[in-house]
Amino acid sequence: MTVKSLEQQFQERIDAGERIEAKDWMPEKYRKTHIRQISQHAHSEIVGMLPEGNWITRAPSLRRKVGLLAKVQDEAGHGLYLYSAAETLGISRDELFDQLHTGKAKYSSIFNYPTLSWADIGAIGWLVDGAAIINQVMLTRTSYGPYARAMVRICKEESFHQRQGYEIMLGLSQGSPEQKEMAQDALNRFWWPSLMMFGPRDEESPNTEQSVKWKIKRKTNDELRQEFVDITVPQAEILGLTIPDPDLKWNEERGHYDFGEIDWDEFWQVVKGNGPCNKERLGARVKAWDDGAWVREAAIAYSDRRSRSQGDEASRNQDVSAAI
Amino acid sequence: MNKEWPLYEVFIRSKNGLEHRHVGSLHAADDQMALENARDVYTRRQEGVSIWVVESSQITASNPENQGELFEPAADKVYRHPTFYNLPDEVDHM
């Protein structure tokens, strides 16, 4: 009989398509990678509320306003599902927030770009949520159970986000020349950052191989990026907008669109914190957390006082029954 | 002294990847006994790979009488649904 190492048994479970649950044995690196990935994902949902929140008060109609409000509210909910999934791996909510607030943890770089016009809200829903959906659909089959289940919930809700954005783009592209110009400008600015959302090229993504082996990811960054381009180009054509890439063309042989080279210097600059809005976003997030401190403290103080007075009452009742 | 064993709610995960689901309840003298009883009562035919038990008194439940007003806020928010947004038929993958 051969004695198999725990790692080997773990890999066999993964290979057999089994899901891993919180109390199962797992290699430390699997746990760490998941904490990092799930928390980055959660942080992205939370920070992602900021560029969109910027436009709630200036939405052009009530219909647009309630749609955007509902979307931003969903993002908060998605953050909460994901933080809970991360906590199953033995990290506390406070630690997770601390990592975000001190800049130790990353969030999706796309949210470090500014939302300059109303059309950007359309572009974000269409492109940024569109890119996120491609990634998240894959993650509904990820090997870690709590993460996969959070993804199923999120994907169900995400379709509305993208349609909300696309409807905005549609309205603008069919509107006045100025409105169409606004939509084109938003596409111009959000196209490349959306492609960057899938991360570095496969050959420069050191985590990909292990992540695929552990079925954390089931497709590589480049595969997902290609999928996004193939799906999105026809959608841009329906809008009558031009994707800002002169090298973009259908490749009959590959059955995919070819597309131009991403500006990787820009990608790494934004990842390293030098994007247009990195400081502003983190500053807004930290301020919201600090400004909300008194609410959290008041709720705990109230809860403590109530349990104390209930305790007093219980002991009084005991005294009474002892006296009887 | 005749003290009734407390009631426990039982949740079973039928296989990895799926959530624990409420299957029913039982009485036990303590947590450990509740777990063992749950195994014997609810998983005699390999219905599960994991069991959660929790004392029923520990569960805070909404009151069915307040169901109307509790869930009312979601009732008039059609814009939370994808179908609220009008897209041309030729748009795929949304």
Side-chain angles (χ1 to χ4, degrees):
Chain A
M1 196 183 99
T2 53
V3 180
K4 289 177 185 161
S5 71
L6 285 169
E7 271 94 354
Q8 206 178 338
Q9 289 175 35
F10 180 82
Q11 190 60 53
E12 284 172 8
R13 292 185 61 191
I14 298 271
D15 293 342
E18 253 190 78
R19 294 287 170 85
I20 306 303
E21 295 292 346
K23 292 181 110 178
D24 294 344
W25 184 88
M26 60 186 83
E28 201 43 33
K29 191 164 174 242
Y30 181 87
R31 179 187 303 277
K32 290 244 168 72
T33 304
H34 262 103
I35 290 177
R36 185 173 48 89
Q37 190 177 322
I38 301 173
S39 66
Q40 271 181 19
H41 198 158
H43 299 329
S44 302
E45 302 282 355
I46 298 303
V47 177
M49 290 194 282
L50 298 170
E52 293 187 304
N54 184 33
W55 281 91
I56 290 174
T57 55
R58 288 175 286 160
S61 69
L62 187 58
R63 180 188 172 90
R64 295 294 186 225
K65 184 169 177 160
V66 291
L68 183 58
L69 261 173
K71 176 177 192 292
V72 172
Q73 193 179 24
D74 271 0
E75 307 299 1
H78 296 177
L80 295 179
Y81 304 155
L82 287 160
Y83 281 127
S84 301
E87 283 173 273
T88 63
L89 292 159
I91 186 163
S92 74
R93 187 74 58 104
D94 277 353
E95 281 175 272
L96 291 167
F97 281 162
D98 192 58
Q99 289 177 356
L100 172 64
H101 297 160
T102 56
K104 197 181 148 206
K106 299 263 182 274
Y107 54 85
S108 182
S109 281
I110 193 84
F111 302 118
N112 289 319
Y113 290 86
T115 42
L116 303 177
S117 81
W118 170 252
D120 290 8
I121 299 306
I124 288 180
W126 171 36
L127 300 172
V128 176
D129 287 83
I133 288 168
I134 296 213
N135 195 35
Q136 290 173 165
V137 166
M138 165 190 79
L139 289 171
T140 60
R141 297 185 302 123
T142 191
S143 60
Y144 187 55
Y147 192 26
R149 289 191 290 276
M151 281 301 120
V152 170
R153 248 174 191 286
I154 289 177
C155 283
K156 270 188 205 151
E157 299 175 352
E158 203 78 60
S159 156
F160 131 57
H161 296 184
Q162 201 189 10
R163 291 174 68 97
Q164 177 262 167
Y166 196 80
E167 199 193 63
I168 293 173
M169 293 304 272
L170 201 62
L172 292 169
S173 349
Q174 293 170 352
S176 66
E178 290 82 2
Q179 286 174 322
K180 187 166 186 187
E181 180 57 40
M182 254 171 72
Q184 181 64 54
D185 175 61
L187 170 58
N188 291 351
R189 282 179 293 107
F190 275 92
W191 175 253
W192 291 105
S194 298
L195 293 191
M196 293 178 199
M197 282 176 70
F198 297 97
R201 272 189 303 231
D202 291 348
E203 56 269 32
E204 280 166 38
S205 175
N207 301 325
T208 292
E209 195 190 337
Q210 183 66 68
S211 287
V212 169
K213 197 170 157 224
W214 275 338
K215 295 188 183 165
I216 297 175
K217 299 180 71 148
R218 288 172 170 263
K219 293 173 186 173
T220 68
N221 295 353
D222 287 333
E223 284 167 353
L224 292 167
R225 193 167 10 243
Q226 181 71 61
E227 205 177 306
F228 174 71
V229 172
D230 291 347
I231 285 175
T232 310
V233 173
Q235 295 170 351
E237 284 165 3
I238 293 170
L239 294 173
L241 299 177
T242 310
I243 288 176
D245 178 358
D247 297 326
L248 184 81
K249 63 169 191 296
W250 178 252
N251 183 324
E252 194 63 52
E253 207 175 302
R254 290 200 311 128
H256 293 292
Y257 283 93
D258 290 334
F259 54 98
E261 189 64 27
I262 288 169
D263 180 350
W264 293 109
D265 287 340
E266 179 184 321
F267 172 80
W268 290 113
Q269 280 296 325
V270 182
V271 168
K272 283 174 186 147
N274 303 319
C277 296
N278 292 56
K279 287 192 183 65
E280 186 187 329
R281 299 287 184 241
L282 207 52
R285 171 61 204 159
V286 171
K287 184 175 183 302
W289 178 249
D290 290 347
D291 289 353
W294 71 271
V295 179
R296 298 191 296 276
E297 285 158 17
I300 287 286
Y302 177 68
S303 160
D304 285 349
R305 202 182 65 182
R306 215 173 28 172
S307 54
R308 258 202 316 277
S309 70
Q310 274 166 2
D312 289 350
E313 201 176 308
S315 62
R316 263 200 309 280
N317 289 345
Q318 260 178 4
D319 293 347
V320 170
S321 58
I324 293 167
Chain B
M1 198 181 90
N2 188 2
K3 191 182 165 210
E4 197 185 0
W5 289 355
L7 188 66
Y8 280 82
E9 300 301 322
V10 180
F11 299 82
I12 305 277
R13 186 201 301 288
S14 59
K15 64 175 220 179
N16 270 21
L18 300 177
E19 53 273 86
H20 287 78
R21 292 193 67 172
H22 186 242
V23 292
S25 49
L26 48 73
H27 286 273
D30 59 38
D31 295 355
Q32 187 57 37
M33 189 198 277
L35 210 50
E36 283 159 12
N37 286 359
R39 179 199 60 187
D40 295 341
V41 176
Y42 289 105
T43 66
R44 286 194 306 281
R45 291 175 185 78
Q46 296 187 297
E47 286 91 340
V49 295
S50 167
I51 303 171
W52 285 349
V53 289
V54 59
E55 244 189 84
S56 310
S57 63
Q58 296 295 310
I59 291 179
T60 307
S62 61
N63 183 345
E65 278 172 31
N66 303 337
Q67 189 182 333
E69 57 264 42
L70 186 63
F71 297 107
E72 185 274 333
D76 61 352
K77 299 192 172 49
V78 282
Y79 49 86
R80 286 178 179 167
H81 298 272
T83 42
F84 182 73
Y85 301 90
N86 302 317
L87 266 47
D89 291 340
E90 62 266 35
V91 178
D92 261 347
H93 301 288
M94 262 190 231

